[in-house]
Each structure stands twice: as C-alpha cells, then as structure tokens.
Amino acid sequence: MENNTQRPNGENMEPQSFNITNEDNVEAEKFDITSELNQYGDNLVLGENFVMVNEAEPVNNAISEENTEVKPSIPVENTFSENMNGSNIKANFNSINDNNNTSSNYNSYNQKKTNKKPGMFKKVMSYVLVGVVCTTIGGAASGAAILYGLPNTSLFKNSPLYKSISGSTQAATTVYDNHPTQLSTTGSAMSATEIAKKVGPAVVAVTTTIQGQQDFFGRQGVQQGVGSGMIISQEGYVLTNYHVVEGAQQVKVVLSNGKQANAKVVNYDANYDVAVVQITDKVDIPAVVELGDSNSLQVGEEVVAIGNPLGTDFFGSVTTGIVSALNRKISGDTNKATYIQTDAAINSGNSGGPLINSRGQVVGINTAKIKESGVEGLGFAIPINAIKDKISNLSKPILLIGIQGREIDSEISKQYNMPVGLYVQQVTEFSPAEKAGIQAGDVIIKFDGQKVTTFDEVNTIKAKHKAGDQVSVTLNRDGKEQTVTLKLTESK
C-alpha cells in the first residue's frame, strides 16, 4: 500500500503528523495517521467524526493539524477514498477554521479482534441461569403432580381435609325441570302474595312446655318454647324441626285462624333434625302444604319463607329472598343432611316453617341461622328431598325399647376388648328392654336377626314394625352370646 494520498481534485496530499490533545488541551503523543492506516489495513473504516480509543474505552480527542496549510478551496465537509491493498477506506472530514487554526474531530473505532477468555462472572451467571431453569421446571412438575395427581389419590380423599372441603363446597347436583325461578303474576310462577294465600293457612305455630329443674326451695320451673310447622295431611300431622319439640312434656299447635289445639310428638329423627307432631283435638284442617322437589332448585332462584319469628306475636310472617347456595354444611352441626342457604329472613321462631319455591311448593324446612354480630342474610333450610322418604315412617308412633347406650366401633372394640355393637349403659324401668331381661353392660349385636352397629340401624328395623310386634335381640354378656325376645310398645 502506498503512502501517497490523493485529494479528490487530484492534488497529492503528503502523509501528515498530528498533535493529539485531550479536552484539557494537554499535548499527547504524536500520531502518524498514515502508519495507523497501514496498521489497521482492511479493518479500519473512518466515520464522520474521529475518536481515538485505547484498549479500555473511547477517548474524545481534539486533533489539530500541524504544519499543514489548508487551502480555502477545500470544502468544509469533504469525502475521499482510496484503494489501499484492494480495500476501500472512506472518511468524512469536518474542518473548522478558528483563529487561523484548523481542527478536526475524529471518531475512530478500534476494530482489533481480542481473544479474551470468558470472565468468572459470566461463568457464575451461566451456572445460576441453568439452576433457575432447572428449578422452574422441577417446581412446575411438582406443582402439577400436587394439584392434579394428589387430589385423585385415595389417601387424600380419605383425609379430613378432603371431607371438609367436599362437604362445605360441593357443587349442587340438581336436575332442573324448567320450572320458573322467579316470582311472577303471569305464567306458572306465582307472586309472593299468591304464595302467602296458598301456603300461609297450612303454617302453624308449635308451642312446647318443658319442666325445668327444681330450685333451692323445691319449686320446679317451666320453660316455654315456640317454633313453626306445616300441616302435611288432613289427619292433622304437622312437620317441624326436632329441636323445636325436643324434651317437651306438652305440645300445642296454634292454627292460622288463631285456634289452639293439643298435640303430641309422634316420631322424630334427631340425625336430620325433623319431627312429626299430630293434632289430637278435633279441628278443621285449614290447608295442607304441597311438597316440591328440592333437587331441582337453582342458585339464584327466588324463594319465600313463612313462619313465626320471635313467637306468636309475629305469626305467619312472610319474607322473600333467593337461594344463595346449595349443599351447605355448617361447622359443628351434626345434622346428616346438607342445607339450602338463603338470604330470606329466618329468625328464632321460624324453625320448622316452610321454604317455598315460585310454584308454591315446599322445598325446604327452615331450621337455622348463624347468630353472630354483623352477620345478616345467612339462613339455612333442610332440603325437603332429604326427609321426604322418612315422612311415612315418622308418621308412625315411636316404638319404645327402653335403653340408653353408645355405639361400639372396631377401634373401641380393640381398645376395650368388647364386641362391635350397641353397648347398654342404662335400662329404663318397666320398659320392654327390662321385661325382656336386657341388662346394663350387655352389648346388642343383632336386632330382629340382623347385625346392628348403630342406633340408626335399629330405628330403621323398628320402622318396619308396629306396636305389639315381637323381635329377637342377640346380645353379648360377659363374653357369651344369648338371645332374648322383646315386645315393641308405643311410646307414651
């Protein structure tokens, strides 16, 4: 490559030396541009402004021309090119004439290829990146296994957590029958006024008297209770909650026309908090409710509640609301049935009253309200389908056995070396059990020839019999089995 550089107009331009100064005008080493061009060869492309750079970072330098006369004919911005060793080098010059001194700013990029080994920081970061990626993938796989795999295992389904979640948040399995879900004055739906006229006369107040304990002076207190109920037959059978009549020595029914009649508890199922009371006086039955299908209820459907909140002073109160949720479980509640949740106003005294759909059909038995400060609009009703099949047996008198006891499951059986069955803790005097020879400490293992482990199973068998029937009872006494005969009698 020749060192002769030619101007664009054909004039020869001799190699020049420049004094390189920094921003503080401190003179730096002389820089031979021709030698630098030879050094970089094909790798140098000069831009509009030149900046000298060292090994570490770019440095702006003001390059002043030394011993070089610049002719005025040279334009302020000029471009020249020359073929050096077969390579094109292009440069732009910006020349500024200031106090007879010509200075140029050059931007130059050091294009030397450096073969530097990767730094320790890059290596560490690469390991960190690999670790983060592996952790993310592993976490996603573990999360997927927990979220989608664990809930399907039998171990999780048998856990108390799963049972609690499924009991409290279980989706409603309803079969919608296209019935109207809103109260209306047109079509098959009824208005609240029409529902009150249809169902209201069949709603009653159930009053109870419970003998309290004697005080210090031997006086015995008396407690009065009031609940609601609904007439379900022309024979005067009234459906209500068991907790309304529990322990009552005397029961009366107040009809919608204000008449009061004597009544008695026919039967009950404490596990579902339901009882049947029968009017014993001869009275005209004003109306009978129509039972609907609670399985077809829809969340958001409008409903009506009728009852006697806070006693007979507010007899026959009508409130409206919607079905807020289905299949609810209440913490601490022992009822085997799930609940219909509604925001229709339900208060003390409403228990046992009907929850009614837009057709005027009873779909639930109002039974509970959460009594907490600041809590409103949380009422609950037992679905009518949960007890509809029990009404027939509940309309039969209670058949008395005359025992009190507890259930012995397999765990208790192993712990106390006792057979699985019903442990007799107490026998009522003059009861069928005492007459049959059953004693405290016996374990009943069969009733009417069938194995029994719960009192529910005994009640189910009893419901198939009537007063006066005789059943065999197999029991374990002191490790030996024996069978006695028990005569069922109606409870007084």
Side-chain angles (χ1 to χ4, degrees):
M1 171 180 172
E2 296 181 358
N3 290 333
N4 292 330
T5 305
Q6 201 171 39
R7 298 181 185 273
N9 59 7
E11 298 179 1
N12 290 329
M13 185 170 68
E14 295 295 329
Q16 302 178 25
S17 297
F18 297 86
N19 290 330
I20 302 175
T21 61
N22 56 22
E23 291 182 356
D24 296 329
N25 294 325
V26 178
E27 186 174 12
E29 62 181 352
K30 290 187 177 182
F31 175 68
D32 188 344
I33 189 171
T34 304
S35 62
E36 288 299 313
L37 292 174
N38 286 335
Q39 178 180 354
Y40 290 101
D42 296 350
N43 294 325
L44 178 64
V45 177
L46 299 179
E48 180 176 341
N49 297 315
F50 288 83
V51 176
M52 301 306 298
V53 296
N54 58 22
E55 293 273 328
E57 59 182 346
V59 177
N60 289 331
N61 295 292
I63 304 176
S64 61
E65 191 176 27
E66 181 183 40
N67 298 326
T68 302
E69 181 180 358
V70 180
K71 295 183 179 181
S73 60
I74 298 176
V76 174
E77 181 172 344
N78 199 359
T79 304
F80 73 92
S81 62
E82 170 111 3
N83 189 331
M84 297 181 180
N85 292 332
S87 301
N88 291 328
I89 300 176
K90 297 183 180 180
N92 293 331
F93 291 89
N94 289 334
S95 300
I96 302 175
N97 191 352
D98 185 12
N99 296 327
N100 296 326
N101 291 327
T102 303
S103 63
S104 302
N105 290 330
Y106 295 84
N107 291 331
S108 169
Y109 295 95
N110 188 351
Q111 301 291 334
K112 286 185 178 182
K113 297 181 179 180
T114 58
N115 295 324
K116 294 183 178 180
K117 295 182 179 180
M120 179 61 67
F121 177 76
K122 291 184 178 180
K123 287 184 178 181
V124 172
M125 290 306 297
S126 65
Y127 293 147
V128 171
L129 181 60
V130 171
V132 170
V133 172
C134 293
T135 303
T136 303
I137 296 174
S142 301
I146 293 174
L147 291 176
Y148 298 101
L150 182 60
N152 294 323
T153 62
S154 59
L155 178 63
F156 181 74
K157 290 183 177 180
N158 291 328
S159 67
L161 174 61
Y162 179 85
K163 293 178 181 178
S164 174
I165 294 174
S166 62
S168 60
T169 61
Q170 180 181 2
T173 55
T174 63
V175 180
Y176 181 52
D177 58 0
N178 295 320
H179 69 272
T181 58
Q182 292 182 332
L183 305 180
S184 175
T185 57
T186 61
S188 60
M190 302 173 66
S191 66
T193 302
E194 293 171 332
I195 291 173
K197 290 180 179 179
K198 175 184 177 181
V199 184
V203 178
V204 301
V206 179
T207 65
T208 60
T209 301
I210 301 175
Q211 298 293 333
Q213 295 181 351
Q214 291 184 350
D215 61 13
F216 179 78
F217 299 100
R219 293 174 300 189
Q220 191 171 34
V222 177
Q223 296 179 348
Q224 301 287 340
V226 179
S228 301
M230 65 192 90
I231 302 174
I232 57 174
S233 74
Q234 288 292 340
E235 289 75 26
Y237 288 101
V238 175
L239 185 64
T240 187
N241 285 134
Y242 172 62
H243 74 262
V244 171
V245 297
E246 183 179 6
Q249 278 80 41
Q250 187 180 58
V251 179
K252 292 182 181 294
V253 170
V254 180
L255 302 175
S256 59
N257 56 14
K259 290 184 178 181
Q260 189 177 75
N262 292 313
K264 68 174 183 178
V265 177
V266 178
N267 209 330
Y268 60 87
D269 189 337
N271 290 323
Y272 286 86
D273 192 21
V274 63
V276 171
V277 173
Q278 185 179 20
I279 300 172
T280 56
D281 292 345
K282 291 184 179 181
V283 295
D284 292 332
I285 302 300
V288 175
V289 297
E290 178 186 357
L291 302 183
D293 181 13
S294 58
N295 287 343
S296 65
L297 281 176
Q298 303 295 302
V299 174
E301 180 172 341
E302 293 184 348
V303 288
V304 174
I306 303 179
N308 312 306
L310 308 180
T312 55
D313 290 342
F314 300 98
F315 185 96
S317 294
V318 178
T319 59
T320 62
I322 64 170
V323 174
S324 303
L326 299 168
N327 293 345
R328 285 295 197 207
K329 290 292 289 183
I330 302 176
S331 177
D333 183 71
T334 58
N335 197 327
K336 290 189 175 181
T338 57
Y339 292 101
I340 301 167
Q341 180 184 329
T342 179
D343 65 351
I346 296 176
N347 295 285
S348 298
N350 278 109
S351 293
L355 187 70
I356 309 155
N357 64 12
S358 60
R359 289 177 173 175
Q361 300 169 330
V362 176
V363 291
I365 304 174
N366 300 323
T367 187
K369 176 190 177 182
I370 294 180
K371 297 180 180 180
E372 291 185 11
S373 177
V375 176
E376 294 294 338
L378 280 177
F380 299 91
I382 301 172
I384 198 64
N385 284 31
I387 55 96
K388 192 183 294 185
D389 294 337
K390 299 177 179 294
I391 292 177
S392 177
N393 290 333
L394 292 174
S395 299
K396 299 176 182 178
I398 298 175
L399 298 179
L400 182 64
I401 296 178
I403 63 171
Q404 294 180 357
R406 64 170 299 176
E407 299 170 355
I408 304 299
D409 58 19
S410 58
E411 184 176 347
I412 298 176
S413 173
K414 293 178 182 178
Q415 184 176 356
Y416 294 99
N417 193 26
M418 300 171 62
V420 175
L422 304 176
Y423 178 74
V424 179
Q425 293 176 312
Q426 184 178 347
V427 179
T428 305
E429 289 183 341
F430 311 113
S431 67
E434 186 185 54
K435 293 177 181 179
I438 298 175
Q439 302 175 7
D442 291 344
V443 179
I444 299 174
I445 56 179
K446 288 184 180 180
F447 189 84
D448 198 22
Q450 301 180 43
K451 267 191 173 184
V452 290
T453 57
T454 66
F455 286 102
D456 279 347
E457 294 173 345
V458 173
N459 291 332
T460 300
I461 298 171
K462 280 199 309 177
K464 300 176 182 178
H465 292 275
K466 62 182 183 297
D469 288 352
Q470 293 184 342
V471 296
S472 62
V473 179
T474 302
L475 49 87
N476 183 290
R477 180 181 296 168
D478 298 328
K480 298 179 180 179
E481 289 188 7
Q482 63 182 81
T483 301
V484 297
T485 302
L486 183 145
K487 184 178 180 180
L488 298 172
T489 59
E490 185 176 330
S491 177
K492 303 298 182 182

